[in-house]
Amino acid sequence: QQPVQSPQAVILREGEDAVINCSSSKALYSVHWYRQKHGEAPVFLMILLKGGEQKGHEKISASFNEKKQQSSLYLTASQLSYSGTYFCGTDPPARFGAGTRLTVKP
Amino acid sequence: DAGITQSPRHKVTETGTPVTLRCHQTENHRYMYWYRQDPGHGLRLIHYSYGVKDTDKGEVSDGYSVSRSKTEDFLLTLESATSSQTSVYFCAIGRRLAGGPSTDTQYFGPGTRLTVL
């Protein structure tokens, strides 16, 4: 089953923060986060393992609560370049959430 | 760059015609995947392969078949294309991060936009 992401869309001003949530109905060993720009392929951001530490990429970090089977992506002090659709994915062969469209405005 | 190419990049075809999409990788990875992407559905797994001639179905495999006769090539075939198969198709490979955990993550090719009229 596909993970469930929320919110479906979010609009920010530059410098604002956002949180994207991902939950799964099945037990996970890892959670993978991707970002996709319009017309391009998804690009891997980070992986979080069960029992692992919170990971970071630029000013983007994430956490993974394996007991709740939930992960959250934190975007801090957002930049225009953060705009795109964010997907969470399960262990390979990955099932992906429907995505969260993030728009950062000047 | 994970060395993944897809061909063709764009294709328009008619209902009922067979279509084959090709995914080619240059890094000898064992795992390869086919996804389709449609608005509101994100990426959905069609089929995947864990070695030459070893394949398995994903969540939306009806109407699709795959073949992998060489490590570097993974083919997706629509035996008789339908309008519901109009989509963007992404191939991905599974690769371990250098210095990373002992689990694969997936890297995507550029995609093929298929339109079935």
Side-chain angles (χ1 to χ4, degrees), chain A residues 9 11 23-24 29 38 47 53 70 86-87 90 94-95 99 104:
Chain A
I11 299 174
S23 64
S24 173
Y29 174 75
H38 183 70
I47 179 175
E53 298 178 354
Q70 294 176 345
Y86 290 78
F87 295 97
T90 65
R95 268 58 170 176
V104 182

Side-chain angles (χ1 to χ4, degrees), chain A residues 23-82:
Chain A
S23 64
S24 173
S25 59
K26 59 172 268 187
L28 299 174
Y29 174 75
S30 63
V31 176
H32 306 234
W33 285 96
Y34 293 79
R35 178 171 63 203
Q36 184 179 30
K37 302 278 188 176
H38 183 70
E40 299 179 6
V43 174
F44 171 72
L45 289 176
M46 66 186 75
I47 179 175
L48 296 103
L49 296 182
K50 181 177 179 179
E53 298 178 354
Q54 183 166 326
K55 296 291 186 182
H57 174 85
E58 301 171 348
K59 291 184 180 178
I60 302 172
S61 62
S63 63
F64 178 28
N65 184 327
E66 56 261 31
K67 287 185 179 179
K68 293 184 177 180
Q69 294 158 200
Q70 294 176 345
S71 178
S72 294
L73 189 72
Y74 307 95
L75 299 100
T76 305
S78 58
Q79 306 168 15
L80 295 176
S81 63
Y82 287 1

Side-chain angles (χ1 to χ4, degrees), chain A residues 26-34 44 47-49 88-96, chain B residues 31-33 35 45 48-50 92-97 101-108:
Chain A
K26 59 172 268 187
L28 299 174
Y29 174 75
S30 63
V31 176
H32 306 234
W33 285 96
Y34 293 79
F44 171 72
I47 179 175
L48 296 103
L49 296 182
C88 66
T90 65
D91 312 323
R95 268 58 170 176
F96 289 91
Chain B
Y31 285 87
M32 299 183 76
Y33 310 84
Y35 289 88
L45 181 67
Y48 66 100
S49 170
Y50 44 96
I93 56 99
R95 188 173 79 178
R96 301 231 169 138
L97 295 170
S102 57
T103 185
D104 281 2
T105 194
Q106 291 174 254
Y107 291 84
F108 289 85

Side-chain angles (χ1 to χ4, degrees), chain B residues 23-41:
Chain B
C23 178
H24 179 77
Q25 58 142 330
T26 60
E27 298 183 350
N28 206 36
H29 295 289
R30 180 182 173 193
Y31 285 87
M32 299 183 76
Y33 310 84
W34 277 108
Y35 289 88
R36 61 177 289 174
Q37 185 171 37
D38 306 288
H41 291 280

